Amino acid sequence: AGLGTEGRNGFLLAIEEDNAAGGYLGRKFEPLVRDNQMDQETARKITRDLIDEGVVAIIGPMTSQMALAEEPISRYARRPMIAPTVSTNLLSERDDYFFRVYFTNAQAADLLAAQLREGGKIHRMAVIYDTANRAYTEDWLHIFRDRFKALGGQVVAALPFELSQETLFSEIVAQAVAANPDGVLLLANALDTALLCQHFAKYPTRLERFATGWSYSDDLIRFGGQAVEGLILLQSVDLSAETARFKVFKRAYQQRFNKTPNFPALPAYDATSLLLTALEQPPLHQDLKKKLLSLKNFPGLQTPLSLNSSGDLRNPQIFLARVVNGTFVRVE
C-alpha cells in the first residue's frame, strides 16, 4: 500500500498538471486507477481490462512480482508499461514493451556488496526476505549472494517469510542471530522491516542492518521508532533535496494531497511525465515505444533520465541513506 498509494498520487499529479497546461492537442487526459491487490490473477485481469478500455500506456505496477504477471499482456497488446519502482532483473535486457525509471537489482546489489566489503568490515551476512514478492526478493538475494561472495563475503543464512502463512518474526530473527552474522539484509516492505528491527533490538548484540528501497517510507520511522535508528537503505531519491525542480514538485504535492511526498511518488511522477512527453513528440502517429526510446536526458525531478535500447535507465541515481534521529540522511 505504501508503494501503491504514493505511486498513484505521483501519477495523478503529473496528469493533472499536464491537463491544466492544455493536455494533448487540446484534449484532456483521463487517468484510470486500478488496484492489483498484490494478487497475480487480479493484476492480469485489470491489465486486460485497461487495454480493452483503450489506454495508450500503463504506469505501473509498483512491485516486481506484479510486473511479471502484467508484462506479457502489455507486450502482446503492444501497450508500453512504465514501472516506477520495479527492479527485478528478470525483465532486464529484453526487446519488449516494459520500461522503468528505477535502478535494477543488479545495480543495487553491486553497490551494497562493494560498500559492505570496503575495509573488510562486513564478512558474514544474513538475509531475511518476503516471498510474497519473490520476483524482487529472490532475484535480489541471488544477485547479492554472488556479488558478495566474489568480494570475499558470505551469506550465512537466507531466511524466507510470507505473512499469509502466519510467520513469526521473532523466530526468524532468532534464526538470523544464531547464524552469527556481522550484518543482516532485510528485503521487505516498510512496515515489516520496522517490525523485524524491533525484534532485533531485543538482542544485546546490535547487528548492522541494511534494507532496500522497498523499505523506504515514513511507515518505517512511524512503526520502527528507535529500533530503526542506524538502519542503512539503498535509495534513488533524496527527499531532503533543495533543488528548485524538486521544491516545486514537493509544494504542489503537499497542496494536492495534504501531505509530504514519500519516495514512490517521485518515480511515478517521472514515469508519467516521460510518457506524456513522448506522446507529444512528432510525428504524432509514430509508435509510442519508439518515441519513448528516443528520449535522451529527460529532466526528471532529481536526475536526468535516459533509457537504453531495452527500456532500462542508463545511469540511474543510487546511493545509501541512514536513519538518523527519525530522518533519512544521505550517506556521502
Side-chain angles (χ1 to χ4, degrees):
L3 289 174
T5 55
E6 289 289 322
R8 175 203 61 196
N9 291 351
F11 161 74
L12 288 175
L13 183 59
I15 293 287
E16 291 166 4
E17 289 181 348
D18 195 88
N19 282 342
Y24 177 68
L25 300 178
R27 299 172 62 188
K28 302 296 179 67
F29 287 101
E30 179 188 358
L32 304 178
V33 178
R34 301 290 184 268
D35 180 5
N36 63 33
Q37 301 175 33
M38 275 294 285
D39 177 79
Q40 294 185 63
E41 285 305 314
T42 301
R44 295 185 185 99
K45 181 181 185 305
I46 64 174
T47 303
R48 287 191 291 266
D49 289 346
L50 286 170
I51 290 170
D52 289 342
E53 291 182 53
V55 299
V56 294
I58 294 173
I59 301 299
M62 303 297 287
T63 63
S64 294
Q65 193 66 36
M66 297 302 101
L68 288 183
E70 297 177 29
E71 184 276 330
I73 300 169
S74 75
R75 174 163 33 98
Y76 180 79
R78 297 186 177 182
R79 296 292 195 280
M81 172 177 284
I82 310 176
T85 53
V86 169
S87 59
T88 179
N89 274 73
L90 298 176
L91 292 171
S92 298
E93 305 302 325
R94 295 165 28 139
D95 182 14
D96 52 22
Y97 280 75
F98 176 80
F99 299 80
R100 65 177 129 205
V101 293
Y102 195 61
F103 54 72
T104 65
N105 287 347
Q107 292 164 331
D110 278 343
L111 174 62
L112 182 60
Q115 289 290 325
L116 293 179
R117 291 298 298 144
E118 184 177 355
K121 297 177 181 178
I122 303 290
H123 178 69
R124 296 164 58 85
M125 284 287 292
V127 180
I128 298 176
Y129 61 102
D130 183 354
T131 56
N133 190 15
R134 66 176 66 245
Y136 173 77
T137 59
E138 290 185 351
D139 185 51
W140 228 108
L141 169 62
H142 295 154
I143 296 169
F144 172 74
R145 181 157 40 197
D146 290 345
R147 301 290 199 274
F148 194 51
K149 181 179 180 180
L151 294 174
Q154 180 185 7
V155 173
V156 295
L159 305 169
F161 74 89
E162 187 169 344
L163 292 183
S164 63
Q165 298 179 0
E166 299 183 359
T167 300
L168 291 177
F169 282 166
S170 59
E171 294 181 359
I172 294 177
V173 169
Q175 292 176 50
V177 172
N180 194 31
D182 303 313
V184 58
L185 172 61
L186 307 175
L187 301 174
N189 65 35
L191 176 57
D192 292 339
T193 299
L195 296 176
L196 285 164
C197 285
Q198 294 229 13
H199 283 287
F200 275 110
K202 298 174 183 178
Y203 289 83
T205 301
R206 291 298 180 94
L207 298 174
E208 289 282 356
R209 295 150 302 143
F210 303 87
T212 64
W214 194 16
S215 305
Y216 193 71
S217 87
D218 289 346
D219 282 346
L220 178 71
I221 306 295
R222 184 178 304 115
F223 294 102
Q226 285 295 316
V228 299
E229 284 290 312
L231 177 70
I232 295 177
L233 305 95
L234 286 152
Q235 194 44 267
S236 63
V237 302
D238 184 356
L239 296 177
S240 63
E242 292 294 327
T243 59
R245 183 171 173 79
F246 177 62
K247 289 169 73 174
V248 170
F249 164 80
K250 187 175 180 180
R251 184 164 53 249
Y253 189 96
Q254 288 172 321
Q255 291 174 348
R256 172 64 174 84
F257 301 106
N258 198 33
K259 64 189 295 286
T260 57
N262 275 327
F263 120 78
L266 279 72
Y269 182 93
D270 278 344
T272 310
S273 300
L274 184 76
L275 168 63
L276 297 176
T277 299
L279 282 169
E280 295 163 2
Q281 295 295 305
L284 295 179
H285 298 294
Q286 185 183 36
D287 179 65
L288 183 53
K289 174 182 176 179
K290 292 181 179 179
K291 288 186 176 185
L292 285 166
L293 292 174
S294 71
L295 294 178
K296 306 300 179 186
N297 295 316
F298 178 81
L301 286 172
Q302 293 198 343
T303 183
L305 307 176
S306 186
L307 300 174
N308 63 22
S309 59
S310 61
D312 294 333
L313 286 183
R314 294 180 185 276
N315 297 297
Q317 176 172 262
I318 178 172
F319 57 89
L320 298 178
R322 184 189 298 271
V323 179
V324 179
N325 296 324
T327 61
F328 297 104
V329 178
R330 184 166 180 165
V331 178
E332 300 296 343

